[in-house]
Amino acid sequence: MPRLALDCHKQVDEIHAWKERIGAAALVVCIVWVAANFAFSEQRDFHASRGPVAGVHQMWETQCNACHTPFAPIRSHSWQALFLGDVQASSQKCQTCHEGTTHHAGQHPELSCASCHREHRGRDASLVRLTDRDCTQCHNDLAGHHAKKPAFELTVSRFSAQGHPEFRSIKNDPGKLKFNHELHLRAGMAPGTGGGALMTLGKIPEPLRKRYRDQQSTKHDDAPVQLQCASCHQLDAGDLGLPGTRSAGAYMLPIAYENHCQACHPLTIERKGPDGLLTIPHRLEPNLIHDLMFNHFTAQAVRGQPGLLDRKVDRVLPGKLTNALDTTLREVIDKNVEHAEKDLYLSNRLCAECHYFDGKPVPQAVQAGKRPELQTAPTKVPPVWLQHAKFNHTAHRAMECAACHEAASRSKTHTDVLIPGRDNCVQCHGPTTSAGTPGARFACTQCHQYHNGDHAAQGIGAARRNPRAGHAIDAWIQAK
Ligand code: HEC
Ligand code: HEC
Ligand code: HEC
Ligand code: HEC
Ligand code: HEC
Ligand code: HEC
Ligand code: HEC
Ligand code: HEC
Ligand code: HEC
Ligand code: HEC
């Protein structure tokens, strides 16, 4: 005996009848709904939208054509792109309001803007936090996506010790400013076996002393100075016109002699005489310092030798003064200058303590009666190290400096690189931390920019990111 009657398909039971009725009703509702939208709605397109656009674009939400070209796909990877028109048409629409400059010359394929910047995901959805796929579609195999041979790592699959290369910008330290972290972080810069005195608060000139005193717990004048990282490294307050896209608090301010060194390394030269203490202004080049010292020692000689005044030197122009001096006095002055220059450029104090010099080797360059043929070597301390990624100190402010720069307190020479490498970051940035707990975000866009790749120094607001023409108020509101 069969479980179902053989003619069951011919019998229309109640369930079947209702299915058909509901189906028909749904169809009618749909047709009426669409028709009503077209007939009555003021925002007819809106009913075909996939959802609200991001807050930055809400002003144009109902003007679909601000971003869409009718009957053209908007994403490079959409199946419609195979059949329907040019995806770049919509990209040009985006570019009437902001130009999204290419990442690198010679890259391919040329992706439409919408293939990375996804819309209709709600007011608060981010347009710029992308999935790794948006980047690895090329970076998994860069050789296939570049017109020539790429200069950068060919396979980057994700941020991990296996999937991402070491940081190339920290291979060596291009800086030419002498410095010894280990020494300066010792209390009182305690000299080693060579002997020497402790640097105490009392030795710092009065106006500058308070700043150092405030930083430490022992405050009396005989207390050794104890420097902190923050004595020299402060977070920047925003865009200083330095290279790299900087936001407030992302990087450390550059070292400045006046703020960070002067208190303990004054540029003063002592010579015999009533006003023998000569203070050299910082950042002058050696030839200008030569003239300055020459004038100083001449003035000193003039004041020390009343006889000179009989020769009416006071009426001679400053540059001509030399002619009026007899040779012996001239020799004394030149010798004075030469001695001072040797102190500045040859001894291990004053300029040469911190600087290198370009030009002739210093011993030959310094000669009595001649301007030295020397230039201070540019210090070139990098204001931004990682040229191809961004970093932000403020996001990591809860960590101690040593967690990333642990080598600093041991470093005795300025040539040491103190910037952490990839292995430091992967302890936290990854699916799990080194402790096995959930890790910090590690999407490519967390650390990298896309636009301006060839011109990384340009950030938001760079001239080349501007739309081609400006709109008037009405034209802009209507996205025309
Ligand atoms: C600010 C620009 C912008 C505006 C305004 C806008 N869209 Fe979009 N739309 C996009 C982007 C970008 C995508 C691709 C989103 C994605 O792939 O996740 C998209 C995708 C779509 C899609 C899916 C089609 C596809 O190719 O994937 C539809 C349908 C759509 N939009 C309809 C509308 C309608 C209707 C309106 C007007 C009411 C509108 N959009 C207004 C930017 C916009
Ligand atoms: C009618 C003008 C207009 C059009 C068209 C337009 N945008 Fe925008 N867009 C803006 C304005 C205004 C902002 C906010 C100001 C800013 O940050 O530059 C913005 C911001 C953005 C941002 C930054 C969002 C953020 O969170 O920082 C992205 C990305 C963006 N638009 C992508 C697109 C894409 C992709 C298209 C084309 C599908 C497009 N825009 C079309 C006007 C427009
Ligand atoms: C491969 C993915 C990708 C494509 C394609 C792309 N962008 Fe972007 N875009 C990004 C990323 C990532 C950011 C955020 C980081 C940055 O500023 O570079 C961004 C940021 C932006 C911003 C935010 C403002 C700013 O200066 O940070 C605008 C506007 C923008 N893109 C517009 C465009 C336009 C217009 C196009 C098409 C011509 C486009 N983008 C194509 C990935 C992409
Ligand atoms: C269409 C292919 C393509 C896409 C998509 C792409 N890149 Fe690139 N990327 C390149 C090419 C090509 C280079 C240059 C290679 C060279 O010159 O060696 C490059 C170089 C880079 C570099 C190293 C040089 C620099 O600009 O600092 C970084 C970092 C980078 N891309 C990050 C990203 C990120 C992040 C994304 C996703 C938002 C992304 N790329 C998406 C093709 C692409
Ligand atoms: C007396 C001033 C001073 C103090 C205190 C000081 N620094 Fe520096 N720091 C410098 C100077 C000058 C440079 C640049 C010359 C160089 O490369 O060594 C520098 C460079 C750096 C750099 C750049 C990277 C590099 O390889 O050159 C890092 C990182 C750094 N310091 C970290 C620290 C940390 C962490 C501390 C605290 C433990 C600290 N510094 C304390 C003066 C100081
Ligand atoms: C709190 C006082 C103090 C500050 C601030 C300070 N120094 Fe020094 N520095 C010293 C003392 C003390 C010595 C050891 C005696 C000497 O050589 O002058 C020294 C030594 C040096 C040396 C020689 C290092 C060596 O290995 O022999 C250099 C180079 C130097 N300082 C550079 C700097 C620079 C650059 C700055 C500013 C970024 C700076 N110092 C800030 C106190 C200071
Ligand atoms: C205690 C260390 C120290 C001493 C001593 C010192 N400087 Fe400097 N000098 C610096 C630092 C730090 C900078 C870089 C930041 C700045 O401009 O303040 C610098 C920058 C300079 C620059 C600009 C270089 C550039 O790349 O822009 C010149 C020129 C210069 N110094 C000349 C001198 C001369 C000449 C002397 C001697 C009279 C001297 N300095 C003594 C620390 C020192
Ligand atoms: C999470 C790791 C991390 C911590 C914590 C950290 N730094 Fe850095 N620091 C970096 C990285 C990465 C760079 C390279 C950034 C760049 O220039 O591209 C850097 C760069 C620097 C530089 C060179 C100038 C600059 O901004 O590029 C100095 C100086 C510096 N750090 C000092 C400090 C001091 C002082 C502290 C503690 C208050 C500290 N850092 C905490 C990772 C860290
Ligand atoms: C102790 C864990 C830890 C280490 C180590 C660490 N980070 Fe982070 N980082 C975080 C956390 C937590 C955040 C904030 C959450 C977020 O933005 O995802 C963050 C944020 C960031 C951001 C986003 C900053 C912003 O808001 O724009 C960047 C970029 C970054 N880290 C880079 C690095 C780099 C590069 C290194 C290695 C030199 C590093 N981090 C090391 C935990 C860490
Ligand atoms: C936690 C931060 C972080 C994340 C996440 C991250 N990177 Fe990087 N990336 C860096 C740093 C830092 C460098 C070194 C930049 C430099 O040396 O100037 C770098 C370098 C690169 C380079 C240049 C390689 C070379 O040859 O020097 C490429 C390409 C790159 N990253 C792509 C990516 C891609 C694609 C992703 C996502 C899969 C990604 N990165 C994720 C921090 C990060």
Side-chain angles (χ1 to χ4, degrees):
M1 168 89 189
R3 285 185 204 177
L4 290 172
L6 285 175
D7 60 347
C8 68
H9 64 281
K10 288 183 187 158
Q11 299 169 4
V12 178
D13 63 14
E14 270 305 281
I15 294 177
H16 265 90
W18 272 106
K19 272 189 190 162
E20 277 167 17
R21 270 173 232 146
I22 292 171
L27 187 68
V28 170
V29 169
C30 286
I31 292 170
V32 170
W33 172 261
V34 173
N37 280 337
F38 274 90
F40 306 115
S41 172
E42 281 176 4
Q43 303 177 352
R44 59 179 87 145
D45 290 336
F46 207 43
H47 301 275
S49 170
R50 300 205 305 175
V53 296
V56 281
H57 290 141
Q58 68 188 44
M59 194 163 95
W60 301 280
E61 178 154 78
T62 57
Q63 299 169 43
C64 316
N65 288 353
C67 303
H68 289 276
T69 309
F71 301 106
I74 192 165
R75 285 180 306 128
S76 297
H77 298 299
S78 103
W79 58 268
Q80 304 148 12
L82 294 173
F83 306 102
L84 298 164
D86 171 19
V87 285
Q88 296 306 338
S90 66
S91 295
Q92 275 158 21
K93 296 240 165 171
C94 309
Q95 302 207 36
T96 58
C97 289
H98 31 64
E99 224 170 320
T101 52
T102 25
H103 178 49
H104 278 273
Q107 76 179 51
H108 59 83
E110 199 181 322
L111 298 164
S112 74
C113 314
S115 52
C116 288
H117 298 296
R118 293 179 186 77
E119 274 290 4
H120 303 293
R121 296 186 303 160
R123 286 283 184 267
D124 297 332
S126 170
L127 294 176
V128 290
R129 289 220 166 255
L130 308 181
T131 63
D132 281 6
R133 178 82 193 100
D134 292 319
C135 309
T136 54
Q137 58 178 306
C138 291
H139 281 281
N140 248 338
D141 174 22
L142 203 56
H145 293 278
H146 193 281
K148 291 187 233 120
K149 197 171 160 286
F152 291 92
E153 186 73 19
L154 294 182
T155 12
V156 185
S157 50
R158 71 166 186 165
F159 190 70
S160 67
Q162 297 76 38
H164 189 284
E166 259 300 353
F167 306 160
R168 70 167 64 207
S169 301
I170 58 171
K171 286 210 176 99
N172 51 47
D173 185 340
K176 287 210 160 168
L177 176 70
K178 298 182 199 169
F179 191 67
N180 180 337
H181 274 91
E182 192 267 345
L183 172 87
H184 285 85
L185 291 165
R186 276 188 239 152
M189 282 101 246
T193 43
L198 278 188
M199 183 77 203
T200 55
L201 282 172
K203 289 186 185 166
I204 297 180
E206 186 53 68
L208 301 167
R209 198 180 304 160
K210 181 174 180 304
R211 198 181 120 202
Y212 292 91
R213 178 177 282 144
D214 289 350
Q215 287 169 6
Q216 57 189 71
S217 46
T218 45
K219 299 191 186 286
H220 52 93
D221 276 357
D222 292 336
V225 182
Q226 176 64 66
L227 296 178
Q228 320 289 331
C229 306
S231 312
C232 300
H233 298 301
Q234 290 106 22
L235 285 176
D236 70 12
D239 189 353
L240 299 157
L242 291 164
T245 306
R246 301 170 79 99
S247 61
Y251 299 94
M252 295 286 165
L253 282 170
I255 294 290
Y257 167 81
E258 291 74 9
N259 291 345
H260 306 124
C261 320
Q262 193 175 27
C264 309
H265 295 276
L267 293 175
T268 47
I269 300 173
E270 262 180 277
R271 285 284 171 276
K272 284 197 202 86
D275 56 349
L277 198 65
L278 167 61
T279 304
I280 313 267
H282 186 232
R283 252 186 292 261
L284 284 188
E285 285 295 354
N287 55 357
L288 291 177
I289 295 178
H290 180 88
D291 294 353
L292 189 126
M293 289 196 296
F294 185 83
N295 290 347
H296 172 83
F297 288 121
T298 307
Q300 193 185 329
V302 168
R303 274 194 292 278
Q305 307 247 334
L308 271 177
L309 295 175
D310 298 338
R311 297 183 211 172
K312 300 192 171 72
V313 283
D314 54 342
R315 263 188 262 126
V316 182
L317 291 170
K320 299 267 170 64
L321 190 60
T322 52
N323 303 336
L325 303 176
D326 62 32
T327 29
T328 46
L329 193 56
R330 171 80 200 243
E331 270 165 19
V332 170
I333 294 167
D334 282 346
K335 267 273 170 277
N336 256 340
V337 175
E338 187 198 352
H339 278 272
E341 281 176 338
K342 283 193 168 147
D343 278 359
L344 289 177
Y345 313 123
L346 268 174
S347 78
N348 260 347
R349 353 173 357 250
L350 301 164
C351 313
E353 182 160 35
C354 303
H355 287 290
Y356 295 96
F357 294 93
D358 296 334
K360 277 191 177 174
V362 179
Q364 283 103 289
V366 176
Q367 279 176 29
K370 281 194 179 160
R371 288 166 143 201
E373 289 173 48
L374 287 179
Q375 294 89 41
T376 320
T379 50
K380 285 193 183 148
V381 177
V384 168
W385 278 78
L386 303 169
Q387 295 294 314
H388 306 287
K390 38 183 190 162
F391 182 71
N392 192 322
H393 274 99
T394 300
H396 302 92
R397 65 189 172 280
M399 289 168 72
E400 55 183 6
C401 311
C404 295
H405 302 297
E406 55 92 30
S409 53
R410 283 184 277 112
S411 161
K412 290 181 199 280
T413 150
H414 72 96
T415 53
D416 290 343
V417 174
L418 307 174
I419 307 292
R422 180 197 58 200
D423 293 346
N424 175 293
C425 322
V426 295
Q427 294 176 87
C428 297
H429 290 277
T432 52
T433 63
S434 51
T437 54
R441 291 186 288 188
F442 62 109
C444 313
T445 50
Q446 176 89 347
C447 303
H448 291 291
Q449 288 199 287
Y450 176 76
H451 300 288
N452 303 328
D454 279 332
H455 303 270
Q458 300 201 34
I460 298 172
R464 53 196 293 280
R465 302 285 293 274
N466 283 341
R468 285 161 203 136
H471 302 69
I473 294 181
D474 278 349
W476 204 38
I477 291 175
Q478 275 144 41
K480 279 186 181 137

